Amino acid sequence: MLKEATREEAFTAFAREVEPRIRYALIPICGLEAAKDATAEALLYGWQHWERLSAMDNPAGYLYRVGRTKAARARRRRVGFPPVPNPQLPLIEPGLPAALARLSPKQRTVVWLVHGLGWPQAEVAGFLGLSPPTVQTHARRGMAKLRADLGGTS
């Protein structure tokens, strides 16, 4: 009984820490609602395989990839960035959701995590299982495409 309580406490602490990060990383791939569902499914998988998962070097990144696989059906649908409710508001460029949707999934995810959420590139690299130079390239190219698409300067 003690072993089960310790297992549950360890997984609960882990899940509280990584759940928002996994969900945020999945939003640009499959949209807000599908990201919530995929994250829940990934965490369920994590609970079911906790012994193996807890021994991994990057368990959060592994569960991100599980969630990405679980969200494959939703990926076929349009990316779920919410529409801008009132284009008169200065908080967001009205064309930004559509411009983000035109980026490749990896560019969109990297731009969202690095520039949208302020994650360090090294953290994004570890989380997504990419090399730091690859993350830097996706961020640079994604931002260049957004600037060109939205009429900004390079």
Side-chain angles (χ1 to χ4, degrees):
M1 185 63 115
L2 182 60
K3 184 178 180 183
E4 183 64 27
T6 304
R7 176 184 188 267
E8 185 174 334
E9 290 169 2
F11 180 78
T12 300
F14 168 77
R16 280 191 183 126
E17 178 186 337
V18 303
E19 185 277 335
R21 295 174 57 188
I22 294 170
R23 183 170 28 92
Y24 292 150
L26 290 172
I27 288 172
I29 294 172
C30 59
L32 182 62
E33 291 305 314
K36 289 178 186 177
D37 293 341
T39 301
E41 290 182 43
L43 289 172
L44 174 61
Y45 178 90
W47 170 251
Q48 293 168 337
H49 300 91
W50 179 239
E51 286 74 23
R52 186 170 60 92
L53 186 72
S54 63
M56 293 180 178
D57 289 337
N58 185 6
Y62 185 83
L63 285 186
Y64 161 74
R65 289 184 291 281
V66 169
R68 193 175 63 198
T69 300
K70 300 282 185 184
R73 293 181 307 271
R75 248 188 291 185
R76 290 184 212 123
R77 290 182 271 172
R78 190 174 175 164
V79 174
F81 284 102
V84 179
N86 183 351
Q88 308 305 327
L89 295 176
L91 299 176
I92 187 170
E93 162 63 41
L96 183 60
L100 283 167
R102 287 188 287 274
L103 296 178
S104 73
K106 282 188 181 173
Q107 286 177 348
R108 185 170 46 247
T109 301
V110 168
V111 167
W112 168 253
L113 295 176
V114 172
H115 295 286
L117 299 179
W119 290 17
Q121 287 186 6
E123 185 177 342
V124 172
F127 190 74
L128 299 179
L130 302 171
S131 70
T134 300
V135 169
Q136 187 175 19
T137 298
H138 283 307
R140 187 181 69 249
R141 289 179 182 171
M143 289 302 293
K145 286 181 184 178
L146 286 176
R147 286 183 192 104
D149 206 12
L150 297 172
T153 59
S154 297

